[in-house]
Amino acid sequence: MLSPADKRLADDHAALGEVLKRLQTALNSRDSKAAHAKLDLFWARLAVHIRAEHLHLFPAITQHARTAAVDQAVAQLRADHDFFMHELARAMAIMRDLLNTTDASTLSGGLKTVRDAVSEVEKRLVVHNELEENEIYHLTNVLSEQDQAELSLKISKELANQPPRFSVTES
């Protein structure tokens, strides 16, 4: 059974998946403005999710359920997070440039590069989320009820702390 913190993070995986679908739709329609906006939202939402895990989940787990396997899994998850942020930052830089181009060939090539980067992120994200949901999240059950409640509150607060440029309706 998932703790409230785990359920909140797993639910956020699903919400991020929906944002990713909207991003892919915008990229496939070759709408650079919409794709830029959706990529920006996905990048920001994923960064907030990662921050919640780095600041609260991983320390709680490594403090209370530390084993060599947990250390290895957390190290892999951190490496994945670095990959996601690097690739999405690169894609954002390309998208910013595409907003200022009128050349069809440049636009087409740039959108393909961004689509490819987003596809690579998505592939790795599937495996990453399975590791978190099947191997890591349930480890919070070793925490006391009070510690689980505090962790859930901290994670919810982090997930709600989106950049101000995003309205509630965009999330």
Side-chain angles (χ1 to χ4, degrees), residues 6-160:
D6 303 336
K7 180 163 179 12
R8 181 70 177 94
L9 288 167
D11 288 348
D12 199 50
H13 283 171
L16 282 161
E18 290 303 314
V19 175
L20 181 57
K21 284 180 189 174
R22 293 193 306 263
L23 166 58
Q24 290 167 329
T25 298
L27 286 167
N28 290 333
S29 71
R30 302 172 51 97
D31 181 344
S32 60
K33 286 185 181 182
H36 176 266
K38 297 305 178 198
L39 179 59
D40 189 30
L41 177 61
F42 180 68
W43 186 31
R45 290 280 312 271
L46 186 58
V48 167
H49 183 94
I50 288 169
R51 184 177 61 219
E53 291 177 344
H54 280 245
L55 293 178
H56 306 295
L57 178 69
F58 295 163
I61 287 172
T62 56
Q63 182 180 4
H64 293 92
R66 184 172 226 156
T67 65
V70 168
D71 285 348
Q72 182 179 359
V74 168
Q76 177 60 52
L77 295 171
R78 288 180 185 275
D80 289 345
H81 291 164
D82 290 345
F83 171 80
F84 300 146
M85 290 296 100
H86 179 294
E87 286 300 298
L88 293 172
R90 186 174 67 85
M92 277 299 295
I94 294 167
M95 285 304 306
R96 284 186 197 110
D97 289 343
L98 293 179
L99 290 176
N100 299 317
T101 189
T102 56
D103 179 65
S105 177
T106 301
L107 183 62
S108 180
L111 286 172
K112 182 186 180 323
T113 301
V114 171
R115 263 194 316 274
D116 291 348
V118 169
S119 178
E120 288 304 309
V121 166
E122 180 184 29
K123 287 176 193 171
R124 192 160 172 179
L125 196 56
V126 168
V127 174
H128 174 91
N129 288 350
E130 287 176 6
L131 175 61
E132 285 182 339
E133 292 176 14
N134 297 327
E135 303 294 328
I136 295 298
Y137 287 177
H138 76 297
L139 295 175
T140 62
N141 288 327
V142 302
L143 302 173
S144 69
E145 281 188 35
Q146 180 180 348
D147 287 344
Q148 286 184 31
E150 288 174 12
L151 179 61
S152 181
L153 183 63
K154 289 175 183 177
I155 287 173
S156 291
K157 184 177 178 182
E158 288 297 338
L159 294 178

